Amino acid sequence: MATLLRVTVFGVSVVGVFDGGRRRNRNPLGPTEAEVRANLAGEASADAALALHELESSITPAEPAADETAVPRDLTAAAFFDVDNTMVQGASIVHFARGLAARKYLNTADLVDFAWKQVKFRVTGKESSTDVASGREKALSFIRGRSTAELARLGEEIYDEIIADKIWPGTRALAQMHLDAGQQVWLVTATPVELAQVIAKRLGLTGALGTVAESENGLFTGRLVGDILHGLGKAHAVRTLAIREGLNLKRCTAYSDSHNDVPMLSLCGTAVAINPDSDLRELAKNRGWEIRDFRTARKAAKVGVPTALVLGAAGGALAAVITRRKVPIAS
């Protein structure tokens, strides 16, 4: 039985229908349970993104009268950027975990587990369903009972400490190009919407579509609305937001590094592969999509990718442990 669900994100209430991920009909030709969860995740993400954007607009001081030389707003075009390895070097959730470990929210084993799963993903280019499920359970276990305000505060602190230095300058310049053209620019990520919104705000972007966790009275329940925003979920979130904002998807541009984001990339009139994995690079070449690679010494990295990734992840884990031991925790 479907139930009405109220989710609060940054103090903004979002209402939707939740059916526990069960199939809505028994028609064997109908959507699968995974598709239903992906659609629900996309709709919840669009609801939260627009609510947060409206909230930010309401508290931002009114701008002075428009300059005659200012670029007019392009109301039907927008850009959608994946985050991990597209806008941010590495995985934002791993950077976040490092910050949490430094604050003794996570232990070393949890941090290494996060990092190792990212290593496997970057080496193979594919996500294990077991790893995704395990990561989801760990994340939900961590936030259960915590306040949404606390996660937002931690996101701001960790962005300033770690993530700000991980932004790809080339990708940031592409986002600015769209902003300068008067277009909306949205992040689209599996990262929790609270953290995604912090990244978008710090970069001066329109907003963020991210994974939405259920909350009641400002506290996380430990359940997701639908599922992690991923694959088909991202595409559904972008489509839903486009409908509500009156965007023409044929005039929109999508950016990503991962073959998993092909549904989102295919949805927009222009697709750009940023620092692409091998599968996306091949597909982009076949479809004539533009490819931008901001990584240095890419040819040399091809030979030692697994080793480099392992060392990088391990180095991040060790750095967090050292920080945790040597740096006093601020009160």
mmCIF file of all heavy atoms in Angstrom, residues 191-218:
data_model
loop_
_atom_site.group_PDB
_atom_site.id
_atom_site.type_symbol
_atom_site.label_atom_id
_atom_site.label_comp_id
_atom_site.label_asym_id
_atom_site.label_seq_id
_atom_site.Cartn_x
_atom_site.Cartn_y
_atom_site.Cartn_z
ATOM 1 N N THR A 191 25.470 11.403 -4.351
ATOM 2 C CA THR A 191 25.802 11.959 -3.041
ATOM 3 C C THR A 191 24.529 12.501 -2.370
ATOM 4 O O THR A 191 23.642 13.016 -3.056
ATOM 5 C CB THR A 191 26.828 13.101 -3.210
ATOM 6 O OG1 THR A 191 28.036 12.545 -3.710
ATOM 7 C CG2 THR A 191 27.108 13.800 -1.891
ATOM 8 N N PRO A 192 24.411 12.404 -1.049
ATOM 9 C CA PRO A 192 23.233 12.958 -0.371
ATOM 10 C C PRO A 192 22.976 14.399 -0.773
ATOM 11 O O PRO A 192 23.911 15.193 -0.930
ATOM 12 C CB PRO A 192 23.609 12.849 1.116
ATOM 13 C CG PRO A 192 24.534 11.676 1.168
ATOM 14 C CD PRO A 192 25.336 11.749 -0.103
ATOM 15 N N VAL A 193 21.709 14.739 -0.948
ATOM 16 C CA VAL A 193 21.354 16.065 -1.457
ATOM 17 C C VAL A 193 21.876 17.177 -0.547
ATOM 18 O O VAL A 193 22.206 18.267 -1.026
ATOM 19 C CB VAL A 193 19.826 16.172 -1.646
ATOM 20 C CG1 VAL A 193 19.083 16.148 -0.313
ATOM 21 C CG2 VAL A 193 19.462 17.418 -2.444
ATOM 22 N N GLU A 194 21.976 16.907 0.761
ATOM 23 C CA GLU A 194 22.493 17.929 1.676
ATOM 24 C C GLU A 194 23.935 18.312 1.332
ATOM 25 O O GLU A 194 24.281 19.495 1.336
ATOM 26 C CB GLU A 194 22.424 17.433 3.127
ATOM 27 C CG GLU A 194 21.027 17.346 3.704
ATOM 28 C CD GLU A 194 20.287 16.087 3.297
ATOM 29 O OE1 GLU A 194 20.892 15.228 2.621
ATOM 30 O OE2 GLU A 194 19.111 15.954 3.658
ATOM 31 N N LEU A 195 24.765 17.304 1.038
ATOM 32 C CA LEU A 195 26.152 17.578 0.678
ATOM 33 C C LEU A 195 26.243 18.145 -0.733
ATOM 34 O O LEU A 195 27.017 19.070 -0.996
ATOM 35 C CB LEU A 195 26.993 16.300 0.786
ATOM 36 C CG LEU A 195 28.474 16.420 0.411
ATOM 37 C CD1 LEU A 195 29.163 17.487 1.256
ATOM 38 C CD2 LEU A 195 29.182 15.066 0.560
ATOM 39 N N ALA A 196 25.445 17.613 -1.643
ATOM 40 C CA ALA A 196 25.444 18.102 -3.030
ATOM 41 C C ALA A 196 25.052 19.574 -3.091
ATOM 42 O O ALA A 196 25.624 20.361 -3.861
ATOM 43 C CB ALA A 196 24.485 17.263 -3.873
ATOM 44 N N GLN A 197 24.091 19.956 -2.260
ATOM 45 C CA GLN A 197 23.651 21.342 -2.243
ATOM 46 C C GLN A 197 24.751 22.271 -1.749
ATOM 47 O O GLN A 197 24.916 23.394 -2.241
ATOM 48 C CB GLN A 197 22.406 21.494 -1.352
ATOM 49 C CG GLN A 197 21.882 22.913 -1.199
ATOM 50 C CD GLN A 197 21.375 23.516 -2.502
ATOM 51 O OE1 GLN A 197 21.096 22.788 -3.454
ATOM 52 N NE2 GLN A 197 21.245 24.838 -2.538
ATOM 53 N N VAL A 198 25.536 21.801 -0.787
ATOM 54 C CA VAL A 198 26.663 22.598 -0.285
ATOM 55 C C VAL A 198 27.664 22.848 -1.416
ATOM 56 O O VAL A 198 28.140 23.969 -1.605
ATOM 57 C CB VAL A 198 27.358 21.877 0.889
ATOM 58 C CG1 VAL A 198 28.697 22.539 1.209
ATOM 59 C CG2 VAL A 198 26.467 21.897 2.132
ATOM 60 N N ILE A 199 27.993 21.789 -2.170
ATOM 61 C CA ILE A 199 28.947 21.939 -3.276
ATOM 62 C C ILE A 199 28.411 22.924 -4.304
ATOM 63 O O ILE A 199 29.134 23.818 -4.766
ATOM 64 C CB ILE A 199 29.227 20.573 -3.932
ATOM 65 C CG1 ILE A 199 29.847 19.615 -2.917
ATOM 66 C CG2 ILE A 199 30.153 20.741 -5.137
ATOM 67 C CD1 ILE A 199 30.026 18.191 -3.434
ATOM 68 N N ALA A 200 27.132 22.785 -4.660
ATOM 69 C CA ALA A 200 26.531 23.678 -5.651
ATOM 70 C C ALA A 200 26.546 25.124 -5.166
ATOM 71 O O ALA A 200 26.881 26.046 -5.922
ATOM 72 C CB ALA A 200 25.097 23.237 -5.942
ATOM 73 N N LYS A 201 26.214 25.324 -3.906
ATOM 74 C CA LYS A 201 26.167 26.678 -3.352
ATOM 75 C C LYS A 201 27.558 27.309 -3.338
ATOM 76 O O LYS A 201 27.740 28.471 -3.700
ATOM 77 C CB LYS A 201 25.583 26.641 -1.939
ATOM 78 C CG LYS A 201 25.431 28.015 -1.299
ATOM 79 C CD LYS A 201 24.792 27.898 0.075
ATOM 80 C CE LYS A 201 24.660 29.266 0.740
ATOM 81 N NZ LYS A 201 24.041 29.146 2.096
ATOM 82 N N ARG A 202 28.564 26.526 -2.918
ATOM 83 C CA ARG A 202 29.924 27.057 -2.858
ATOM 84 C C ARG A 202 30.451 27.422 -4.247
ATOM 85 O O ARG A 202 31.251 28.337 -4.406
ATOM 86 C CB ARG A 202 30.856 26.035 -2.214
ATOM 87 C CG ARG A 202 30.650 25.864 -0.705
ATOM 88 C CD ARG A 202 31.141 27.110 0.036
ATOM 89 N NE ARG A 202 31.409 26.829 1.432
ATOM 90 C CZ ARG A 202 30.514 26.927 2.418
ATOM 91 N NH1 ARG A 202 29.275 27.314 2.130
ATOM 92 N NH2 ARG A 202 30.842 26.654 3.668
ATOM 93 N N LEU A 203 29.984 26.704 -5.273
ATOM 94 C CA LEU A 203 30.439 26.961 -6.634
ATOM 95 C C LEU A 203 29.581 28.004 -7.353
ATOM 96 O O LEU A 203 29.856 28.349 -8.502
ATOM 97 C CB LEU A 203 30.442 25.653 -7.445
ATOM 98 C CG LEU A 203 31.443 24.582 -6.994
ATOM 99 C CD1 LEU A 203 31.265 23.316 -7.815
ATOM 100 C CD2 LEU A 203 32.874 25.091 -7.103
ATOM 101 N N GLY A 204 28.548 28.481 -6.673
ATOM 102 C CA GLY A 204 27.691 29.486 -7.275
ATOM 103 C C GLY A 204 26.766 28.941 -8.342
ATOM 104 O O GLY A 204 26.326 29.680 -9.240
ATOM 105 N N LEU A 205 26.442 27.639 -8.266
ATOM 106 C CA LEU A 205 25.573 27.014 -9.250
ATOM 107 C C LEU A 205 24.105 27.149 -8.835
ATOM 108 O O LEU A 205 23.796 27.579 -7.728
ATOM 109 C CB LEU A 205 25.945 25.537 -9.412
ATOM 110 C CG LEU A 205 27.430 25.249 -9.658
ATOM 111 C CD1 LEU A 205 27.648 23.752 -9.860
ATOM 112 C CD2 LEU A 205 27.941 26.034 -10.859
ATOM 113 N N THR A 206 23.215 26.750 -9.719
ATOM 114 C CA THR A 206 21.781 26.897 -9.457
ATOM 115 C C THR A 206 21.330 26.007 -8.309
ATOM 116 O O THR A 206 20.569 26.422 -7.431
ATOM 117 C CB THR A 206 20.977 26.548 -10.720
ATOM 118 O OG1 THR A 206 21.486 27.299 -11.826
ATOM 119 C CG2 THR A 206 19.495 26.866 -10.524
ATOM 120 N N GLY A 207 21.774 24.763 -8.305
ATOM 121 C CA GLY A 207 21.360 23.842 -7.264
ATOM 122 C C GLY A 207 21.866 22.445 -7.544
ATOM 123 O O GLY A 207 22.743 22.241 -8.388
ATOM 124 N N ALA A 208 21.313 21.453 -6.822
ATOM 125 C CA ALA A 208 21.808 20.083 -6.942
ATOM 126 C C ALA A 208 20.685 19.071 -6.835
ATOM 127 O O ALA A 208 19.765 19.220 -6.020
ATOM 128 C CB ALA A 208 22.859 19.809 -5.876
ATOM 129 N N LEU A 209 20.781 18.058 -7.665
ATOM 130 C CA LEU A 209 19.928 16.880 -7.584
ATOM 131 C C LEU A 209 20.757 15.787 -6.927
ATOM 132 O O LEU A 209 21.835 15.440 -7.423
ATOM 133 C CB LEU A 209 19.494 16.441 -8.985
ATOM 134 C CG LEU A 209 18.601 17.412 -9.752
ATOM 135 C CD1 LEU A 209 18.699 17.156 -11.251
ATOM 136 C CD2 LEU A 209 17.167 17.289 -9.279
ATOM 137 N N GLY A 210 20.300 15.263 -5.793
ATOM 138 C CA GLY A 210 21.073 14.251 -5.079
ATOM 139 C C GLY A 210 20.157 13.234 -4.429
ATOM 140 O O GLY A 210 18.929 13.326 -4.505
ATOM 141 N N THR A 211 20.753 12.250 -3.790
ATOM 142 C CA THR A 211 19.987 11.218 -3.086
ATOM 143 C C THR A 211 19.242 11.836 -1.907
ATOM 144 O O THR A 211 19.815 12.597 -1.131
ATOM 145 C CB THR A 211 20.919 10.101 -2.594
ATOM 146 O OG1 THR A 211 21.527 9.463 -3.731
ATOM 147 C CG2 THR A 211 20.161 9.073 -1.782
ATOM 148 N N VAL A 212 17.971 11.487 -1.769
ATOM 149 C CA VAL A 212 17.142 12.035 -0.695
ATOM 150 C C VAL A 212 16.879 10.963 0.357
ATOM 151 O O VAL A 212 16.370 9.883 0.052
ATOM 152 C CB VAL A 212 15.797 12.561 -1.244
ATOM 153 C CG1 VAL A 212 14.927 13.092 -0.093
ATOM 154 C CG2 VAL A 212 16.039 13.654 -2.275
ATOM 155 N N ALA A 213 17.248 11.274 1.585
ATOM 156 C CA ALA A 213 16.983 10.388 2.716
ATOM 157 C C ALA A 213 15.761 10.893 3.468
ATOM 158 O O ALA A 213 15.582 12.099 3.642
ATOM 159 C CB ALA A 213 18.186 10.333 3.655
ATOM 160 N N GLU A 214 14.929 9.971 3.880
ATOM 161 C CA GLU A 214 13.705 10.331 4.605
ATOM 162 C C GLU A 214 14.053 10.918 5.969
ATOM 163 O O GLU A 214 14.997 10.488 6.626
ATOM 164 C CB GLU A 214 12.845 9.077 4.781
ATOM 165 C CG GLU A 214 11.581 9.302 5.600
ATOM 166 C CD GLU A 214 10.880 7.996 5.912
ATOM 167 O OE1 GLU A 214 10.961 7.069 5.074
ATOM 168 O OE2 GLU A 214 10.273 7.895 6.988
ATOM 169 N N SER A 215 13.305 11.936 6.368
ATOM 170 C CA SER A 215 13.495 12.523 7.695
ATOM 171 C C SER A 215 12.145 12.894 8.293
ATOM 172 O O SER A 215 11.196 13.182 7.565
ATOM 173 C CB SER A 215 14.394 13.762 7.615
ATOM 174 O OG SER A 215 13.790 14.771 6.824
ATOM 175 N N GLU A 216 12.100 12.873 9.589
ATOM 176 C CA GLU A 216 10.892 13.256 10.327
ATOM 177 C C GLU A 216 11.288 14.181 11.462
ATOM 178 O O GLU A 216 12.198 13.859 12.230
ATOM 179 C CB GLU A 216 10.172 12.017 10.872
ATOM 180 C CG GLU A 216 9.644 11.089 9.793
ATOM 181 C CD GLU A 216 8.995 9.840 10.362
ATOM 182 O OE1 GLU A 216 9.070 9.658 11.614
ATOM 183 O OE2 GLU A 216 8.438 9.045 9.589
ATOM 184 N N ASN A 217 10.634 15.320 11.526
ATOM 185 C CA ASN A 217 10.936 16.307 12.567
ATOM 186 C C ASN A 217 12.414 16.681 12.601
ATOM 187 O O ASN A 217 13.007 16.867 13.659
ATOM 188 C CB ASN A 217 10.506 15.773 13.942
ATOM 189 C CG ASN A 217 9.023 15.469 14.001
ATOM 190 O OD1 ASN A 217 8.198 16.227 13.491
ATOM 191 N ND2 ASN A 217 8.677 14.343 14.605
ATOM 192 N N GLY A 218 13.016 16.766 11.394
ATOM 193 C CA GLY A 218 14.399 17.191 11.306
ATOM 194 C C GLY A 218 15.424 16.122 11.597
ATOM 195 O O GLY A 218 16.621 16.407 11.627
#
